[in-house]
Amino acid sequence: ADPYFQFGRDDTGVAIGAVTDMVVFQAGAGTNNEAANFGLGISLKLGNAASQVEERASIDLVLTDATDASEDVQMNFNLQIAGAAPALVASIIGGGIDLATGKVLKVNAIQVVGARVIDARCDDAIASGDATTDGVIDSLRDAMITHGLIAAA
């Protein structure tokens, strides 16, 4: 009963073992000298309990560097939270996934990564007097620094 659209084919003419562009979205005509922050968005609209249909989320592709042969693009995911206009929650960038300020990474509803703790004490020399204890503390500190959880002020 729900409307849907199908893209592609399910007959014997479909290539296997390769990616085929089934849908192409394009922004820019190639003659407008697009600049940084030019992009293309996909708006997702949903109704609510009052039958008000509005944008509740969007996926935006943003050209962050428009320099010929040096182009950079990021994909932004925006969600409506507490009735406000959709706002950035995460971006996929060349270096990985970037969470927006105040957002955290959770696994099974448990926070596993948040903002990095900045504390000068993480550079202090370990000197408990016991080599085993010092080694354990030092290895834990090194792991937390390596994974970006703490940093010296």
Side-chain angles (χ1 to χ4, degrees):
D2 291 332
Y4 73 94
F5 296 95
Q6 178 177 335
F7 297 97
R9 297 169 31 174
D10 58 3
D11 61 13
T12 57
V14 176
I16 58 173
V19 174
T20 302
D21 292 338
M22 301 301 264
V23 179
V24 176
F25 295 95
Q26 179 179 330
T31 60
N32 297 328
N33 295 326
E34 286 79 15
N37 298 318
F38 174 77
L40 173 131
I42 300 171
S43 177
L44 305 165
K45 296 182 176 188
L46 294 170
N48 63 10
S51 297
Q52 299 165 328
V53 177
E54 62 183 67
E55 183 178 67
R56 309 288 178 186
S58 69
I59 302 170
D60 300 329
L61 301 170
V62 180
L63 186 66
T64 57
D65 183 343
T67 306
D68 188 26
S70 295
E71 298 87 342
D72 288 326
V73 175
Q74 70 185 39
M75 182 180 286
N76 296 332
F77 294 87
N78 308 288
L79 297 175
Q80 183 178 52
I81 299 170
L88 181 67
V89 293
S91 298
I92 298 176
I93 59 175
I97 297 174
D98 187 18
L99 299 177
T101 301
K103 305 302 180 198
V104 297
L105 180 63
K106 295 181 178 185
V107 174
N108 201 24
I110 297 172
Q111 179 178 331
V112 293
V113 177
R116 181 172 25 184
V117 174
I118 308 297
D119 190 329
R121 295 176 299 171
C122 76
D123 267 353
D124 291 349
I126 309 274
S128 73
D130 176 57
T132 301
T133 301
D134 290 351
V136 170
I137 293 170
D138 194 43
S139 70
L140 293 172
R141 177 181 60 191
D142 289 348
M144 292 187 351
I145 290 169
T146 298
H147 291 284
L149 300 176
I150 61 173

